[in-house]
Every structure is written in structure tokens, then in C-alpha cells.
Amino acid sequence: MGKILRKIKHLKPVRWLSSRRVLNKPYHLGLAYAGSLIYRKPSRKIFVLGVTGTKGKTTVLELISYILERAGAKTALLSSLRMKIGRESQRNSWDNTMPGRFFIQKFLRKSVNAGCRYALIEVTSQGIVSSRHRFIDWGAAIFTNLAPEHIESHGSFDKYRQAKVSFFKYAKSKKFRREKLFFINKDDSNYKHFADALWGENVIFYSKSDVGWDFSVSSRLKGDFNIENIAAAAAFCRSQGVSEKIIKRAVYDFPGVPGRMEVLQEKPFLAAIDYAHTPDSLEKVYVSLKKDFGVKNLICVLGAAGGGRDKWKRPEMGKIAERNCDKIILTNEDPYDENPEEIISQIEAGIYKKEKVLKIIDREEAIKTAVSLVKEGEGVIFTGKGSESSIHLAGGKKIPWNEKEKVLEALKSL
């Protein structure tokens, strides 16, 4: 078995395998199956929860882990932010939320060996299409929401949604466990597509209206989108027998998620960073800053969002920035093999009032400029990078990056 494992690990997929037309071919299915066998089907010995949707996945997972640990359960967690097994945690530096080549099965085996009761996994549409959710015995699945994302890689929004729904169908079809739980956000307009796929299953619908207690004392959880995240986490934890008292106390004490609506200071002006990289999430961040923090004038820094994909959203993000921000600084983000100047020009195309715009390719300089322009009582928000550890450039090159540190340095220089 060891020889087989070493050989498979060193296999290199031929170029045509990267096409979305063959992502779900036997190559990926075979790897998923082999991983399950090599690591002795670990998902059968631990409760595995999968969270999928466009936004909120990482926050929901972190909240659930935090609440369960408050209730005395040992958890493992795999997300775009980090991999955690018990008390051991390391940052996600794999540039992939659901890494392949047996990674998830190995993670589950380590979680079982560490005595974890729950394994909490962020499930992405690309991971689903690549069969990385297969040969895992899912105990529960949560759907957070859907908004246009990865449209070019999937071919259409319908296909993107189908990928998400197929995860629920797969989790439903595997009956190693007698009972499985499915949680669906009924506030999202796509909820029926998921509900229809789960006919006869134990489906729990949740809504932000379910959060009937005031959590606003926690400055780290602002915005309606976080109410939905709390509702999802609370619904799952209740199903696991966690008391309402523990859930409430945990939400109040929750330290927040790095790079997700992370407020670095509120006075003399507000400064925050967020991972927002879709039009919908960008709008919600801007609205929340004005509504929940009372920011009237806002300077926003955004940029070359995802070179090589989702070009449709660039002018849309420009329109949203113009609608909500008094000054817009367009900068570099993750251009990959595209020209970053061309990308930010496409964002600028959605902005009618060009006098609002500054274009500064160097992201560090853009941050310094934004901080120098903001005045007392105003706000500045840096979106797109969040807690990511690098900026992706052409030819696979990466440069180390820490958005929080760069912003704090700029603030300190004042």
C-alpha cells in the first residue's frame, strides 16, 4: 500500500485534465476513492459536517467550532482560513480551500486519531466538481446562501448552483449513518433547489429571524449577513444538544474571524479589512459599515480581483464602490497572469464619477494613501485580501502579504 501511495502522490495530471470538462472524470474520482481506502475510511468514525454556499462558510464553521468547544467537544476544522485539529492550528497556505491528493482523507484520519468528535469542512463548488467531497460519510450539511461566483469556470450560474446541490444529493445518498441532518437558509432565494433535492430527509430550515436575542454587544459580528451566520451555527449546535445558554455566551465571546469584517480601530476614524471579493459581499460590507458603525464618509480600497476569472463582476464592483464610497482607490490584488492595470481599468469602467477614483498599482502605497486621506469620524475599508498570506502574480509567482500588518503599519505611521 505504501508503494501505491507514493506513486499516486507523484502522479502529475496531464494538461487537459485541468479543463472543467473532465474535472469529474475517473482521474479525480479515483484519487478520492484511493484516499478513502488508504486512510481506512476515517469519516465513519467521526461526525463530519460540510458547509457550502457563496458567502459565510468560514465564519459559520468557526462559530460552530467555538460553540462546540465551549460545550466540551473536541473539534477539527478545515477551511479557506486554516486547518485545526484539536488545539493544533495552522494557516491555510495551500491556495485551495479543499485540497486534493488525499488531503481531506488524511485530515480526517488525523482528526480521528486525535480524538476529535467533529470534523467541520468548508465545501466549495470547485472541490465538488473535482469529486473531493466523495467517499466521505457526511453526517450533516449546511447551505448558507448563493450569489454569482465562479461563473466562467462553471459555465453559468445554474451550473454553479447545481454543483452545490449535488453535494447535498451525494451526502443524502450515502446511508452509512441512519440519520443525517441538512440545514437550509430559507432567507436565500435558492433554498427550494436544495430542499427539493432532499425529499424525505431530516431538513432543518433556519432564518436570521430565528436569532431572537440581541448579540450587538459583540463588535466583531456586525451586519445582517452575520445574523444569518449565527442562525446557521446556532441551528446546528442545537441539533447536537448544546444549550441555548452556551450558544449565546459563545456568540458574545466569539473573537471574530481574521480578515472577515475585522475592525482594526474605531477612533479617531474607523479602519477595517474584509475578504469581500464578490459584488454581493462588497455591497453588504459597505452597507454594514455605514449602518452599524455610523460611518458617513467612506474611503474604499479594492483591486485586481481574481485575474483570469469572473471578469463580468469587475465593472459591477466599480458600480457598487461608486454608490457607497466617497473615494475609491483601485489597486493590485491577485492578478495572476493578467495585467493588473487592465483589470482595474475594467473595474473603473463601472464608475461614472471618475473624480472619485485613484489608481495606485502598488497595494502597500494604496493603503498608505487611503490612511493619509481619511479624516476623523470617517471610515476606510480594505477589501479583497482579508487574511490571505500572499499576492498571486504572473507565472505562478507569489509574494508574501499580510493585509492586517500593512494597514496597522500605515495607521501607526500617522
Side-chain angles (χ1 to χ4, degrees), residues 303-305 307 314 330-347 359 361-362 392-394:
R314 294 170 185 171
L330 300 178
T331 187
N332 206 6
E333 193 169 298
D334 282 308
Y336 289 91
D337 291 318
E338 280 195 74
N339 183 333
E341 293 185 0
E342 177 62 26
I343 296 176
I344 64 175
S345 292
Q346 292 171 8
I347 298 173
K359 293 190 284 187
I361 291 295
D362 186 292
H392 297 260
L393 304 176

mmCIF file of all heavy atoms in Angstrom, residues 303-305 307 314 330-347 359 361-362 392-394:
data_model
loop_
_atom_site.group_PDB
_atom_site.id
_atom_site.type_symbol
_atom_site.label_atom_id
_atom_site.label_comp_id
_atom_site.label_asym_id
_atom_site.label_seq_id
_atom_site.Cartn_x
_atom_site.Cartn_y
_atom_site.Cartn_z
ATOM 1 N N GLY A 303 -9.403 46.053 -5.669
ATOM 2 C CA GLY A 303 -8.500 45.972 -6.803
ATOM 3 C C GLY A 303 -8.666 44.847 -7.775
ATOM 4 O O GLY A 303 -9.774 44.382 -8.028
ATOM 5 N N ALA A 304 -7.519 44.388 -8.277
ATOM 6 C CA ALA A 304 -7.468 43.408 -9.355
ATOM 7 C C ALA A 304 -7.985 42.072 -8.855
ATOM 8 O O ALA A 304 -7.231 41.166 -8.535
ATOM 9 C CB ALA A 304 -6.029 43.282 -9.867
ATOM 10 N N ALA A 305 -9.291 41.966 -8.780
ATOM 11 C CA ALA A 305 -9.929 40.816 -8.143
ATOM 12 C C ALA A 305 -9.896 39.587 -9.037
ATOM 13 O O ALA A 305 -10.616 39.496 -10.002
ATOM 14 C CB ALA A 305 -11.370 41.170 -7.785
ATOM 15 N N GLY A 307 -7.509 37.606 -11.148
ATOM 16 C CA GLY A 307 -7.116 37.554 -12.551
ATOM 17 C C GLY A 307 -7.448 36.212 -13.184
ATOM 18 O O GLY A 307 -7.304 35.163 -12.563
ATOM 19 N N ARG A 314 -16.206 42.722 -12.530
ATOM 20 C CA ARG A 314 -15.324 43.872 -12.313
ATOM 21 C C ARG A 314 -16.057 45.210 -12.412
ATOM 22 O O ARG A 314 -15.991 46.013 -11.481
ATOM 23 C CB ARG A 314 -14.131 43.787 -13.263
ATOM 24 C CG ARG A 314 -13.251 42.583 -12.947
ATOM 25 C CD ARG A 314 -12.197 42.325 -14.005
ATOM 26 N NE ARG A 314 -11.466 41.095 -13.693
ATOM 27 C CZ ARG A 314 -10.603 40.519 -14.515
ATOM 28 N NH1 ARG A 314 -10.345 41.057 -15.701
ATOM 29 N NH2 ARG A 314 -9.989 39.405 -14.154
ATOM 30 N N LEU A 330 -8.223 52.148 -6.473
ATOM 31 C CA LEU A 330 -8.101 50.865 -7.169
ATOM 32 C C LEU A 330 -6.641 50.438 -7.163
ATOM 33 O O LEU A 330 -5.752 51.219 -7.512
ATOM 34 C CB LEU A 330 -8.626 50.983 -8.596
ATOM 35 C CG LEU A 330 -10.097 51.392 -8.732
ATOM 36 C CD1 LEU A 330 -10.489 51.517 -10.199
ATOM 37 C CD2 LEU A 330 -11.005 50.392 -8.024
ATOM 38 N N THR A 331 -6.402 49.174 -6.789
ATOM 39 C CA THR A 331 -5.034 48.718 -6.626
ATOM 40 C C THR A 331 -4.897 47.249 -7.002
ATOM 41 O O THR A 331 -5.855 46.602 -7.412
ATOM 42 C CB THR A 331 -4.573 48.946 -5.172
ATOM 43 O OG1 THR A 331 -3.182 48.660 -5.056
ATOM 44 C CG2 THR A 331 -5.356 48.068 -4.196
ATOM 45 N N ASN A 332 -3.707 46.721 -6.821
ATOM 46 C CA ASN A 332 -3.422 45.332 -7.135
ATOM 47 C C ASN A 332 -4.020 44.410 -6.082
ATOM 48 O O ASN A 332 -4.193 44.785 -4.937
ATOM 49 C CB ASN A 332 -1.908 45.117 -7.206
ATOM 50 C CG ASN A 332 -1.546 43.946 -8.097
ATOM 51 O OD1 ASN A 332 -2.391 43.354 -8.759
ATOM 52 N ND2 ASN A 332 -0.274 43.599 -8.113
ATOM 53 N N GLU A 333 -4.348 43.189 -6.512
ATOM 54 C CA GLU A 333 -4.916 42.231 -5.566
ATOM 55 C C GLU A 333 -4.357 40.842 -5.842
ATOM 56 O O GLU A 333 -3.438 40.399 -5.187
ATOM 57 C CB GLU A 333 -6.436 42.253 -5.661
ATOM 58 C CG GLU A 333 -7.136 41.535 -4.538
ATOM 59 C CD GLU A 333 -8.623 41.831 -4.544
ATOM 60 O OE1 GLU A 333 -8.999 43.003 -4.377
ATOM 61 O OE2 GLU A 333 -9.408 40.880 -4.704
ATOM 62 N N ASP A 334 -4.912 40.149 -6.812
ATOM 63 C CA ASP A 334 -4.404 38.843 -7.246
ATOM 64 C C ASP A 334 -4.531 38.747 -8.757
ATOM 65 O O ASP A 334 -5.417 38.060 -9.270
ATOM 66 C CB ASP A 334 -5.195 37.702 -6.591
ATOM 67 C CG ASP A 334 -4.781 37.463 -5.159
ATOM 68 O OD1 ASP A 334 -3.572 37.295 -4.905
ATOM 69 O OD2 ASP A 334 -5.664 37.456 -4.281
ATOM 70 N N PRO A 335 -3.670 39.403 -9.501
ATOM 71 C CA PRO A 335 -3.844 39.451 -10.956
ATOM 72 C C PRO A 335 -3.503 38.157 -11.677
ATOM 73 O O PRO A 335 -3.905 37.967 -12.827
ATOM 74 C CB PRO A 335 -2.883 40.568 -11.375
ATOM 75 C CG PRO A 335 -1.811 40.534 -10.331
ATOM 76 C CD PRO A 335 -2.508 40.198 -9.055
ATOM 77 N N TYR A 336 -2.731 37.278 -11.034
ATOM 78 C CA TYR A 336 -2.259 36.059 -11.696
ATOM 79 C C TYR A 336 -1.579 36.445 -13.012
ATOM 80 O O TYR A 336 -0.676 37.276 -13.014
ATOM 81 C CB TYR A 336 -3.400 35.063 -11.887
ATOM 82 C CG TYR A 336 -3.863 34.443 -10.584
ATOM 83 C CD1 TYR A 336 -4.886 35.024 -9.833
ATOM 84 C CD2 TYR A 336 -3.272 33.274 -10.096
ATOM 85 C CE1 TYR A 336 -5.303 34.452 -8.638
ATOM 86 C CE2 TYR A 336 -3.682 32.710 -8.897
ATOM 87 C CZ TYR A 336 -4.698 33.306 -8.174
ATOM 88 O OH TYR A 336 -5.104 32.750 -6.985
ATOM 89 N N ASP A 337 -2.017 35.881 -14.140
ATOM 90 C CA ASP A 337 -1.331 36.136 -15.411
ATOM 91 C C ASP A 337 -1.917 37.310 -16.196
ATOM 92 O O ASP A 337 -1.510 37.562 -17.326
ATOM 93 C CB ASP A 337 -1.362 34.874 -16.288
ATOM 94 C CG ASP A 337 -0.486 33.763 -15.728
ATOM 95 O OD1 ASP A 337 0.639 34.075 -15.279
ATOM 96 O OD2 ASP A 337 -0.921 32.603 -15.722
ATOM 97 N N GLU A 338 -2.866 38.006 -15.613
ATOM 98 C CA GLU A 338 -3.424 39.177 -16.282
ATOM 99 C C GLU A 338 -2.654 40.437 -15.901
ATOM 100 O O GLU A 338 -1.974 40.498 -14.869
ATOM 101 C CB GLU A 338 -4.893 39.363 -15.906
ATOM 102 C CG GLU A 338 -5.844 38.476 -16.675
ATOM 103 C CD GLU A 338 -7.277 38.950 -16.529
ATOM 104 O OE1 GLU A 338 -7.631 39.977 -17.155
ATOM 105 O OE2 GLU A 338 -8.043 38.304 -15.793
ATOM 106 N N ASN A 339 -2.805 41.451 -16.735
ATOM 107 C CA ASN A 339 -2.204 42.756 -16.458
ATOM 108 C C ASN A 339 -3.061 43.453 -15.400
ATOM 109 O O ASN A 339 -4.238 43.748 -15.645
ATOM 110 C CB ASN A 339 -2.161 43.591 -17.742
ATOM 111 C CG ASN A 339 -1.479 44.932 -17.541
ATOM 112 O OD1 ASN A 339 -1.474 45.482 -16.445
ATOM 113 N ND2 ASN A 339 -0.906 45.471 -18.601
ATOM 114 N N PRO A 340 -2.508 43.745 -14.222
ATOM 115 C CA PRO A 340 -3.319 44.357 -13.164
ATOM 116 C C PRO A 340 -3.892 45.709 -13.556
ATOM 117 O O PRO A 340 -4.994 46.070 -13.124
ATOM 118 C CB PRO A 340 -2.336 44.479 -11.989
ATOM 119 C CG PRO A 340 -0.974 44.391 -12.589
ATOM 120 C CD PRO A 340 -1.126 43.501 -13.781
ATOM 121 N N GLU A 341 -3.170 46.464 -14.387
ATOM 122 C CA GLU A 341 -3.687 47.757 -14.825
ATOM 123 C C GLU A 341 -4.930 47.586 -15.681
ATOM 124 O O GLU A 341 -5.866 48.387 -15.603
ATOM 125 C CB GLU A 341 -2.604 48.520 -15.592
ATOM 126 C CG GLU A 341 -1.428 48.938 -14.718
ATOM 127 C CD GLU A 341 -0.425 49.792 -15.472
ATOM 128 O OE1 GLU A 341 -0.648 50.058 -16.676
ATOM 129 O OE2 GLU A 341 0.574 50.195 -14.857
ATOM 130 N N GLU A 342 -4.949 46.535 -16.483
ATOM 131 C CA GLU A 342 -6.120 46.261 -17.316
ATOM 132 C C GLU A 342 -7.315 45.853 -16.448
ATOM 133 O O GLU A 342 -8.448 46.256 -16.697
ATOM 134 C CB GLU A 342 -5.800 45.145 -18.314
ATOM 135 C CG GLU A 342 -6.976 44.717 -19.192
ATOM 136 C CD GLU A 342 -7.505 45.842 -20.082
ATOM 137 O OE1 GLU A 342 -6.732 46.773 -20.411
ATOM 138 O OE2 GLU A 342 -8.702 45.791 -20.430
ATOM 139 N N ILE A 343 -7.050 45.086 -15.406
ATOM 140 C CA ILE A 343 -8.132 44.642 -14.521
ATOM 141 C C ILE A 343 -8.769 45.835 -13.816
ATOM 142 O O ILE A 343 -10.001 45.962 -13.780
ATOM 143 C CB ILE A 343 -7.611 43.623 -13.484
ATOM 144 C CG1 ILE A 343 -7.133 42.350 -14.184
ATOM 145 C CG2 ILE A 343 -8.722 43.278 -12.482
ATOM 146 C CD1 ILE A 343 -6.522 41.329 -13.252
ATOM 147 N N ILE A 344 -7.947 46.712 -13.257
ATOM 148 C CA ILE A 344 -8.530 47.842 -12.530
ATOM 149 C C ILE A 344 -9.185 48.840 -13.485
ATOM 150 O O ILE A 344 -10.113 49.556 -13.094
ATOM 151 C CB ILE A 344 -7.509 48.537 -11.604
ATOM 152 C CG1 ILE A 344 -6.383 49.175 -12.382
ATOM 153 C CG2 ILE A 344 -6.968 47.576 -10.572
ATOM 154 C CD1 ILE A 344 -5.428 49.972 -11.495
ATOM 155 N N SER A 345 -8.755 48.835 -14.732
ATOM 156 C CA SER A 345 -9.438 49.671 -15.734
ATOM 157 C C SER A 345 -10.836 49.136 -15.997
ATOM 158 O O SER A 345 -11.778 49.903 -16.230
ATOM 159 C CB SER A 345 -8.635 49.705 -17.038
ATOM 160 O OG SER A 345 -7.425 50.410 -16.861
ATOM 161 N N GLN A 346 -10.982 47.807 -15.951
ATOM 162 C CA GLN A 346 -12.295 47.195 -16.133
ATOM 163 C C GLN A 346 -13.200 47.474 -14.933
ATOM 164 O O GLN A 346 -14.414 47.612 -15.078
ATOM 165 C CB GLN A 346 -12.136 45.686 -16.357
ATOM 166 C CG GLN A 346 -11.467 45.346 -17.680
ATOM 167 C CD GLN A 346 -11.113 43.879 -17.806
ATOM 168 O OE1 GLN A 346 -11.492 43.049 -16.981
ATOM 169 N NE2 GLN A 346 -10.351 43.539 -18.837
ATOM 170 N N ILE A 347 -12.623 47.545 -13.734
ATOM 171 C CA ILE A 347 -13.408 47.940 -12.560
ATOM 172 C C ILE A 347 -13.832 49.397 -12.700
ATOM 173 O O ILE A 347 -14.982 49.754 -12.454
ATOM 174 C CB ILE A 347 -12.591 47.745 -11.271
ATOM 175 C CG1 ILE A 347 -12.221 46.273 -11.087
ATOM 176 C CG2 ILE A 347 -13.386 48.239 -10.056
ATOM 177 C CD1 ILE A 347 -11.281 46.010 -9.926
ATOM 178 N N LYS A 359 -5.875 55.504 -8.947
ATOM 179 C CA LYS A 359 -5.335 54.199 -9.332
ATOM 180 C C LYS A 359 -3.884 54.112 -8.876
ATOM 181 O O LYS A 359 -3.025 54.829 -9.355
ATOM 182 C CB LYS A 359 -5.463 53.998 -10.840
ATOM 183 C CG LYS A 359 -6.903 53.877 -11.307
ATOM 184 C CD LYS A 359 -7.033 53.445 -12.757
ATOM 185 C CE LYS A 359 -6.733 54.584 -13.712
ATOM 186 N NZ LYS A 359 -7.018 54.224 -15.121
ATOM 187 N N ILE A 361 -1.218 51.055 -8.351
ATOM 188 C CA ILE A 361 -0.975 49.625 -8.519
ATOM 189 C C ILE A 361 -0.345 48.997 -7.286
ATOM 190 O O ILE A 361 -0.748 47.921 -6.845
ATOM 191 C CB ILE A 361 -0.091 49.362 -9.757
ATOM 192 C CG1 ILE A 361 -0.879 49.675 -11.031
ATOM 193 C CG2 ILE A 361 0.369 47.907 -9.789
ATOM 194 C CD1 ILE A 361 -2.069 48.774 -11.267
ATOM 195 N N ASP A 362 0.642 49.639 -6.713
ATOM 196 C CA ASP A 362 1.309 49.099 -5.521
ATOM 197 C C ASP A 362 0.331 49.101 -4.342
ATOM 198 O O ASP A 362 -0.096 50.157 -3.876
ATOM 199 C CB ASP A 362 2.546 49.943 -5.194
ATOM 200 C CG ASP A 362 3.360 49.346 -4.053
ATOM 201 O OD1 ASP A 362 2.859 49.343 -2.917
ATOM 202 O OD2 ASP A 362 4.499 48.899 -4.306
ATOM 203 N N HIS A 392 -0.908 36.812 -5.635
ATOM 204 C CA HIS A 392 -0.567 35.929 -6.755
ATOM 205 C C HIS A 392 -0.280 36.743 -8.013
ATOM 206 O O HIS A 392 -1.138 37.491 -8.486
ATOM 207 C CB HIS A 392 -1.718 34.961 -7.018
ATOM 208 C CG HIS A 392 -2.001 34.046 -5.859
ATOM 209 N ND1 HIS A 392 -1.561 32.758 -5.813
ATOM 210 C CD2 HIS A 392 -2.670 34.257 -4.686
ATOM 211 C CE1 HIS A 392 -1.943 32.196 -4.676
ATOM 212 N NE2 HIS A 392 -2.624 33.105 -3.983
ATOM 213 N N LEU A 393 0.922 36.539 -8.554
ATOM 214 C CA LEU A 393 1.351 37.267 -9.742
ATOM 215 C C LEU A 393 1.504 36.316 -10.922
ATOM 216 O O LEU A 393 1.182 35.128 -10.836
ATOM 217 C CB LEU A 393 2.667 37.992 -9.448
ATOM 218 C CG LEU A 393 2.656 38.945 -8.239
ATOM 219 C CD1 LEU A 393 4.042 39.515 -8.015
ATOM 220 C CD2 LEU A 393 1.642 40.060 -8.443
ATOM 221 N N ALA A 394 1.998 36.836 -12.034
ATOM 222 C CA ALA A 394 2.144 36.043 -13.258
ATOM 223 C C ALA A 394 3.156 34.917 -13.075
ATOM 224 O O ALA A 394 4.088 35.005 -12.271
ATOM 225 C CB ALA A 394 2.576 36.954 -14.412
#
